[in-house]
Amino acid sequence: MKIIKQIGIIFTVCWLSILVEKALPFSFPASVIGMILLFLCLLTGILKIEHIQEKADFLLENMAFFFVPAGVSIINYFDVLKDTWVQLVIICVLSTVITFAVTAWSVKLAIRLMERGGNNE
């Protein structure tokens, strides 16, 4: 029963994000709205991490599975992409390097902030 409740909570947040997306006068992805809504619910205490922990862990562990349809779709548009494959590869490599750098910087900043917080006690 706990798993069904967790799935229900996650689907409710997704459904609400779709409603918000349709109500907005501009285009904004429902998935991002859903993440923001979930973050706000966790931040304000409306939801506790225990309410979604197991199902969120399952989804994160199986995240690669959700990219299979996107990969198959790319094959369908190969004729369109074949003329720009060099630019796509460059963009992918650069964005990966930038993501790694920003992540490393964020972790270093978080560690420094945690050490500062520990020294004040």
Side-chain angles (χ1 to χ4, degrees):
M1 197 63 167
K2 184 177 181 182
I3 298 293
I4 294 173
K5 181 180 176 185
Q6 291 181 12
I7 291 172
I9 290 170
I10 292 173
F11 281 163
T12 301
V13 171
C14 290
W15 177 70
L16 289 172
S17 68
I18 291 170
L19 293 178
V20 170
E21 177 195 30
K22 290 182 181 191
L24 290 175
F26 51 88
S27 178
F28 201 79
S31 57
V32 176
I33 295 170
M35 286 189 288
I36 293 169
L37 284 175
L38 187 59
F39 174 72
L40 291 174
C41 287
L42 290 168
L43 189 66
T44 59
I46 294 170
L47 286 176
K48 303 281 187 244
I49 193 71
E50 297 82 29
H51 293 145
I52 58 168
Q53 181 74 46
E54 289 178 46
K55 197 39 65 185
D57 287 343
F58 171 79
L59 291 171
L60 286 172
E61 288 170 4
N62 296 293
M63 188 182 297
F65 175 75
F66 297 110
F67 286 98
V68 171
V72 171
S73 293
I74 288 173
I75 293 172
N76 291 335
Y77 295 101
F78 184 72
D79 57 327
V80 175
L81 300 174
K82 70 179 176 183
D83 297 330
T84 59
W85 72 272
V86 174
Q87 293 93 334
L88 291 171
V89 169
I90 291 170
I91 290 169
C92 287
V93 169
L94 283 176
S95 64
T96 301
V97 170
I98 291 169
T99 301
F100 285 166
V102 170
T103 302
W105 180 80
S106 299
V107 169
K108 287 176 83 172
L109 179 64
I111 289 171
R112 267 192 253 140
L113 290 173
M114 289 172 62
E115 287 173 351
R116 241 190 245 166
N119 292 337
N120 291 338
E121 292 177 9

